[in-house]
Amino acid sequence: MVREEIAGSTRTLQWKCVESRVDSKRLHYGRFVLSPLMKGQGDTIGIAMRRALLEEMEGTCITRAKFEKVPHEYSTIVGIEESVHEILMNLKEIVLRSNLYGTRDASICVKGPKNITAEDIILPASVEIVDTTQHIATLTESRDLCIGLQIQRDRGYRMRSTNDSQDGSYPIDAVFMPVRNANHSIYSYGNGNEKQEILFLEIWTNGSLTPKEALHEASRNLIDLFIPFLHAEEKDINLEENKSRFTLPLFTFHDKLANLTKNKKEIALKFIFIDQLELPSRTYNCLKRSNIHTLADLLSNSKQDLMKIEYLRIEDIEQIVDILQKHFTMNLAKNKFAF
């Protein structure tokens, strides 16, 4: 374990890396602290950074593979232990590092017998392999094997289309996310108006970049999103001239109180986003693709409903249940729950 201290400051704020660890070539860990923050700022920064780390970061993946004389994905090739489908799954796990834009071609051309690994991939000059020992296939006979590959840089998670297979060319599920997981926690100290917070941020990456590099890139991405507001020109609004454009509903105090009491549970759940559940990135993205964005959305589904979500495993659902019980004393309903 390597511990390092890297300090920087913005006004009175100080941040540092308190722990840096390389568990394997494809698993790097970093723990950072930021302080002192005013009450409430920890969540403001922590939630934004977690979303930026999991959703805004770019990564490089193999997105397509082309085989010669292969009728379909579940075919077997003479002299190779793995089926075409198994080879595609192994190619999906290859971790690449690059700054390329657009699509690039790569290839594998080997002669057996041979254990084919990531080291055998012939890549463009701008692309590197993080772990050259990653297994791809086992060639058991003295024969040639050539696989054409397509490499792309993007962000998020892209599911392959089964209708996009043609002439021995098959798409591969692309996990562009270099950050495997990110969590934040807050330590509060002080009393009353003097209360302050310390933000702890944990980052796990796939080795294509270090946690510190991920933190810097996510911060730059967030800054880029807000820059337009800094340069936006203020426009005078004449409320008298634009009365008809702004129609505000009028409620009495008692009406507001009655509505708030009636709907407070629904409102609270609708404003707790699944980002705050600190789920693994794969589980988080499966839920987001199914339009589950808040705790209210999640609780409106039963366990059976979640099991129908593509790529969501029973272990993932059990983890969701554990988090709901631990942090919210809630559980998923057997049948659909409605407010």
Side-chain angles (χ1 to χ4, degrees):
M1 182 186 298
V2 178
R3 291 183 181 269
E4 57 174 335
E5 292 192 3
I6 306 150
S9 67
T10 304
R11 295 181 182 175
T12 58
L13 291 182
Q14 299 287 328
W15 73 273
K16 63 181 177 180
C17 175
V18 293
E19 184 177 351
S20 178
R21 188 176 71 233
V22 178
D23 293 330
S24 69
K25 289 182 179 180
R26 287 178 280 159
L27 184 59
H28 292 208
Y29 171 80
R31 189 164 183 255
F32 307 86
V33 296
L34 177 66
S35 68
L37 297 166
M38 294 174 63
K39 183 179 178 181
Q41 288 183 335
D43 269 331
T44 300
I45 298 173
I47 294 171
M49 284 301 301
R50 186 170 189 271
R51 293 197 68 155
L53 286 163
L54 295 177
E55 296 186 5
E56 302 295 327
M57 305 289 292
E58 292 186 345
T60 306
C61 292
I62 298 172
T63 57
R64 182 173 285 274
K66 182 176 177 60
F67 300 82
E68 296 180 355
K69 300 177 182 179
V70 173
H72 56 80
E73 178 183 337
Y74 296 96
S75 302
T76 56
I77 302 174
V78 176
I80 298 180
E81 287 187 2
E82 293 83 359
S83 67
V84 172
H85 177 75
E86 290 172 322
I87 294 174
L88 293 176
M89 292 300 100
N90 291 337
L91 289 171
K92 173 185 172 182
E93 298 298 323
I94 302 294
V95 179
L96 302 173
R97 175 172 41 231
S98 82
N99 290 317
L100 65 81
Y101 289 93
T103 302
R104 298 287 188 276
D105 292 328
S107 62
I108 299 173
C109 291
V110 295
K111 183 177 181 62
K114 180 178 176 60
N115 180 33
I116 305 170
T117 66
E119 188 177 21
D120 297 304
I121 301 175
I122 303 170
L123 293 166
S126 57
V127 184
E128 300 175 26
I129 298 171
V130 170
D131 185 0
T132 57
T133 64
Q134 285 185 263
H135 177 73
I136 297 174
T138 304
L139 194 54
T140 58
E141 296 182 3
S142 180
R143 55 157 295 172
D144 295 329
L145 175 67
C146 287
I147 305 174
L149 303 175
Q150 192 176 84
I151 294 171
Q152 190 174 350
R153 182 179 176 85
D154 207 335
R155 65 181 185 178
Y157 181 81
R158 183 186 304 168
M159 289 188 294
R160 62 199 177 101
S161 171
T162 54
N163 299 325
D164 196 17
S165 304
Q166 53 185 356
D167 300 328
S169 176
Y170 301 96
I172 300 174
D173 289 340
V175 184
F176 294 106
M177 300 173 291
V179 176
R180 288 189 171 187
N181 199 6
N183 290 329
H184 81 276
S185 57
I186 298 165
Y187 171 75
S188 299
Y189 62 97
N191 295 309
N193 295 330
E194 301 299 323
K195 199 165 187 179
Q196 294 183 319
E197 296 178 342
I198 299 175
L199 172 66
F200 293 87
L201 191 64
E202 294 180 289
I203 303 172
W204 290 261
T205 70
N206 64 1
S208 62
L209 75 176
T210 66
K212 186 170 65 174
E213 290 171 336
L215 184 66
H216 289 173
E217 187 173 333
S219 300
R220 285 195 298 267
N221 289 342
L222 283 175
I223 291 170
D224 289 343
L225 289 174
F226 288 104
I227 281 178
F229 292 107
L230 298 178
H231 300 291
E233 294 183 2
E234 293 185 6
K235 294 183 179 180
D236 293 330
I237 299 175
N238 190 326
L239 294 179
E240 289 297 324
E241 293 179 2
N242 297 287
K243 254 185 186 178
S244 58
R245 299 185 192 178
F246 302 92
T247 305
L248 301 177
L250 300 176
F251 296 101
T252 65
F253 171 77
H254 295 288
D255 291 334
K256 289 183 179 180
L257 183 60
N259 289 334
L260 182 61
T261 304
K262 181 180 178 182
N263 300 315
K264 65 180 181 179
K265 183 176 181 180
E266 179 182 357
I267 291 171
L269 295 178
K270 283 186 176 179
F271 283 94
I272 299 176
F273 293 89
I274 62 171
D275 309 64
Q276 297 166 261
L277 302 184
E278 298 184 348
L279 298 166
S281 56
R282 194 178 66 81
T283 305
Y284 169 80
N285 281 284
C286 285
L287 294 176
K288 293 286 282 188
R289 285 196 305 272
S290 299
N291 292 318
I292 298 175
H293 305 288
T294 66
L295 191 55
D297 297 334
L298 182 59
L299 291 173
S300 68
N301 290 271
S302 65
K303 292 182 182 179
Q304 288 74 18
D305 295 327
L306 295 184
M307 289 179 68
K308 296 175 184 177
I309 296 177
E310 193 171 14
Y311 302 110
L312 197 64
R313 305 169 301 183
I314 185 65
E315 306 96 279
D316 302 326
I317 297 173
E318 290 174 354
Q319 187 175 23
I320 292 171
V321 171
D322 289 341
I323 291 173
L324 289 175
Q325 290 176 342
K326 181 179 178 181
H327 296 290
F328 301 96
T329 321
M330 295 179 177
N331 205 343
L332 294 173
K334 294 182 179 179
N335 300 313
K336 276 207 170 188
F337 176 77
F339 296 106

